[in-house]
Amino acid sequence: MMLVPAGLQLAFALLGAALVLPSLDSKRGLLSFPVVQKRSQPLHLRKRDNVVALGNVSTLTYLIRLQIGTPPQPVEVVLDTGSFELWVDPTCATAATEGQEEKCNASGRYVPNRSSTYVDQKATQHIGYGKGGAEISYAADNILVPGSNSQALRNVIFGVGLNTTELAWGVGGIGHGNGFNLHYNNLIDELHEQGITQSKAFSIALGGQYSETGGAIIFGGVDTKKFSGRLHKFDNMPPQIEGSKEGPWRYWIQMKSVGVTTPKGFVSTYEYSTMPALLDTGSTWSYLPQHIFDSLKEDFNATLSEDGSLEVPCSMVDQSGTVDFTFGDLTIQVPYSEFISQLEPGYCAPGVLPRKGSYDRAVLGDSFLRSAYVIFDQTNQHLYMASYRDCGTNEQTLSGEVGAALNLTGQCHSSHHLFASIPMCWFIAPSAFVLWIFALFL
Ligand SMILES: *[C@@H]1O[C@H](CO)[C@@H](O)[C@H](O)[C@H]1NC(C)=O
Ligand SMILES: *[C@@H]1O[C@H](CO)[C@@H](O)[C@H](O)[C@H]1NC(C)=O
Ligand SMILES: *[C@@H]1O[C@H](CO)[C@@H](O)[C@H](O)[C@H]1NC(C)=O
Ligand SMILES: *[C@@H]1O[C@H](CO)[C@@H](O)[C@H](O)[C@H]1NC(C)=O
Ligand SMILES: *[C@@H]1O[C@H](CO)[C@@H](O)[C@H](O)[C@H]1NC(C)=O
Ligand SMILES: *[C@@H]1O[C@H](CO)[C@@H](O)[C@H](O)[C@H]1NC(C)=O
């Protein structure tokens, strides 16, 4: 989710330091949550600086389920690497549609005065997003550690929605917290400080567009059965607001290029596609500068919709092409089947929108991140990436050591592109046939 600058200065709210409490022991040093997928409508698209609703379409949002308070109250929040504060309790009545209001109603509420461990922080704040905003009141309370009966992270500071607009879910902002963008500990800081994790690192697999399982976020750890090949290490770049050194710390990575491999095997790499890119799980779409958007439109042979998005025939979802994002010597190939979303029957759109007024910054949202496995390491300001695959579960702890993840190799096979084997068959099959005939004569 993209924060609007107005909310940023306010994010440096004057809040008392979090209380120092006994740290909880954790043998494993990692904490894993499944990523919950929710489809919702309508989709909001940014058009110039405004955002317009795109009719009656459905998009996918990735959430995690938290249990807050004593006794624990379940709430769902958007998993958002693009912001850095946690808040709950959106005002459902202001959700964009009745459908969203219904989803909002079902996502759980935290009622402060039903928790014996609730502490009012006596501070409020406004957070603005690309679409909608939230007026919140800060609270501190316990957050239950999943998989344990009663172990909790104590006195975590978060916001309780007072009046929010056009948001169907609270937000679990897991960007850079204390010392970077905040003067209090956010969830990542508390997990580390209270000894649940050994480092301020976490890894995310969102899971495929049409598989309900396979997504997980592991605080303090990594799952080597969620990717293939080795992890590549990148610097987490400092704030990248155009024309300014100001702005929040976020998960910026240097992107080397964008291109496509068409179903017929034609490979293109776009000019001027080297730029910093923000990794944002809270953004459904990826935002690329106009010239790249135009190149993709051409390569997809897409038509421009009224709202500024692209439309392609839904049959393209089943074609074997990929959109290729390169970082250093790693290329993440996003299959058309994950990049293109069916928004309603017969209406399919590639997951890209133009980033207006920007020709050298990108936002890589879910349409990209579904195909990547990413470790966000705030302890060392590194980002690690590999290609997402799902071949089971093998969670391992990440120590805070520099480069700790480099020794881990994905246990999944690299091939998921069925088409990759098709051209090969033409070469292998005839020769195998020849060998087989030859064998008959022996
Ligand atoms: C929107 O979608 C819902 C569910 O698919 C459907 O019931 C409704 O009629 C649609 N509304 C419009 C205006 O297309
Ligand atoms: C959501 O909950 C409120 C309050 O309980 C209720 O008035 C409203 O009708 C619900 N909305 C939907 C769409 O279910
Ligand atoms: C608890 O909070 C709700 C809404 O915030 C309020 O209506 C209610 O009166 C409160 N109950 C108590 C016992 O304070
Ligand atoms: C909530 O915020 C909206 C937009 O800022 C404002 O118009 C409205 O009056 C507020 N409602 C309440 C109850 O504070
Ligand atoms: C591009 O799309 C147009 C109509 O949308 C179609 O007539 C044309 O054949 C397509 N070209 C390619 C190369 O697929
Ligand atoms: C990686 O593995 C090698 C060999 O097992 C070991 O010597 C090294 O310390 C490890 N590096 C990290 C950063 O864990």
Side-chain angles (χ1 to χ4, degrees):
M1 216 169 271
M2 291 288 290
L3 284 169
V4 298
L8 298 176
Q9 289 106 352
L10 291 170
F12 293 81
L14 293 172
L15 281 169
L19 297 171
V20 180
L21 285 147
S23 42
L24 298 162
D25 82 49
S26 166
K27 285 181 193 75
R28 298 177 68 203
L30 61 81
L31 185 56
S32 177
F33 288 80
V35 173
V36 179
Q37 301 190 357
K38 289 280 163 80
R39 288 194 182 272
S40 70
Q41 19 179 255
L43 160 72
H44 290 113
L45 295 178
R46 266 165 256 246
K47 191 181 187 182
R48 296 187 188 88
D49 283 325
N50 300 316
V51 177
V52 293
L54 182 73
N56 194 19
V57 299
S58 72
T59 54
L60 200 53
T61 305
Y62 295 91
L63 304 108
I64 55 170
R65 212 164 270 155
L66 299 175
Q67 308 236 43
I68 307 180
T70 314
Q73 304 175 35
V75 291
E76 286 171 350
V77 293
V78 175
L79 183 61
D80 188 18
T81 57
S83 68
F84 35 81
E85 295 192 270
L86 165 68
W87 65 266
V88 298
D89 291 3
T91 310
C92 295
T94 69
T97 63
E98 206 169 293
Q100 285 221 337
E101 185 182 338
E102 204 180 315
K103 290 242 160 56
C104 182
N105 276 355
S107 70
R109 298 195 78 72
Y110 166 74
V111 182
N113 62 11
R114 279 191 204 144
S115 170
S116 62
T117 41
Y118 160 70
V119 183
D120 184 358
Q121 299 295 293
K122 305 210 184 311
T124 59
Q125 165 79 293
H126 177 80
I127 306 177
Y129 298 97
K131 175 73 175 176
E135 200 72 45
I136 58 170
S137 164
Y138 286 104
D141 208 334
N142 295 356
I143 298 182
L144 189 73
V145 171
S148 74
N149 287 328
S150 57
Q151 193 184 24
L153 208 53
R154 292 177 181 279
N155 271 278
V156 180
I157 294 175
F158 60 94
V160 179
L162 296 173
N163 177 17
T164 71
T165 44
E166 308 201 42
L167 297 165
W169 286 289
V171 175
I174 47 174
H176 297 74
N178 205 351
F180 291 97
N181 303 320
L182 295 170
H183 291 157
Y184 75 92
N185 283 350
N186 70 6
L187 186 61
I188 304 295
D189 297 324
E190 289 293 353
L191 284 165
H192 184 232
E193 206 148 290
Q194 298 192 29
I196 303 274
T197 60
Q198 294 172 17
S199 64
K200 281 199 267 180
F202 59 90
S203 52
I204 297 183
L206 288 180
Q209 195 165 208
Y210 303 104
S211 73
E212 297 284 299
T213 57
I217 175 165
I218 306 171
F219 295 105
V222 57
D223 187 342
T224 53
K225 288 199 168 175
K226 290 285 183 284
F227 61 96
S228 69
R230 69 179 180 92
L231 287 157
H232 294 239
K233 177 159 78 71
F234 304 95
D235 287 335
N236 187 148
M237 302 169 79
Q240 297 288 323
I241 297 294
E242 282 141 307
S244 158
K245 290 250 174 280
E246 305 298 311
W249 274 83
R250 303 223 224 163
Y251 301 116
W252 285 104
I253 187 170
Q254 182 64 23
M255 180 166 76
K256 191 161 136 195
S257 68
V258 182
V260 295
T261 302
T262 67
K264 286 178 181 152
F266 174 74
V267 180
S268 61
T269 302
Y270 302 142
E271 278 198 310
Y272 307 113
S273 57
T274 300
M275 66 190 70
L278 177 68
L279 302 179
D280 186 2
T281 58
S283 177
T284 304
W285 301 71
S286 295
Y287 294 81
L288 298 173
Q290 190 72 47
H291 63 279
I292 302 178
F293 178 83
D294 292 342
S295 302
L296 280 168
K297 174 176 177 287
E298 204 163 300
D299 281 339
F300 273 108
N301 192 28
T303 52
L304 194 62
S305 302
E306 220 170 272
D307 53 60
S309 65
L310 298 178
E311 187 179 347
V312 294
C314 286
S315 58
M316 256 185 107
V317 172
D318 302 321
Q319 293 179 10
S320 58
T322 57
V323 183
D324 307 332
F325 297 86
T326 300
F327 310 85
D329 56 1
L330 171 70
T331 297
I332 303 287
Q333 291 197 294
V334 182
Y336 283 3
S337 58
E338 291 294 343
F339 196 71
I340 300 169
S341 296
Q342 179 163 322
L343 303 178
E344 61 179 46
Y347 177 21
C348 289
V352 61
L353 287 170
R355 190 155 191 243
K356 299 287 181 184
S358 171
Y359 51 84
D360 64 353
R361 295 291 186 280
V363 176
L364 299 180
D366 300 338
S367 58
F368 163 79
L369 288 167
R370 271 193 282 277
S371 299
Y373 189 77
V374 187
I375 302 176
F376 302 82
D377 178 3
Q378 279 190 31
T379 295
N380 304 297
Q381 293 306 337
H382 287 141
L383 295 162
Y384 295 86
M385 204 148 54
S387 294
Y388 170 75
R389 298 288 182 275
D390 183 12
C391 59
T393 303
N394 184 11
E395 295 177 346
Q396 306 191 28
T397 308
L398 277 175
S399 71
E401 210 180 323
V402 181
L406 284 178
N407 274 0
L408 302 169
T409 301
Q411 292 174 271
C412 303
H413 292 296
S414 65
S415 163
H416 72 142
H417 303 301
L418 278 176
F419 64 89
S421 60
I422 293 167
M424 257 172 23
C425 292
W426 289 100
F427 298 104
I428 293 168
S431 55
F433 185 63
V434 169
L435 286 176
W436 183 73
I437 291 176
F438 184 62
L440 282 184
F441 286 91
L442 284 177

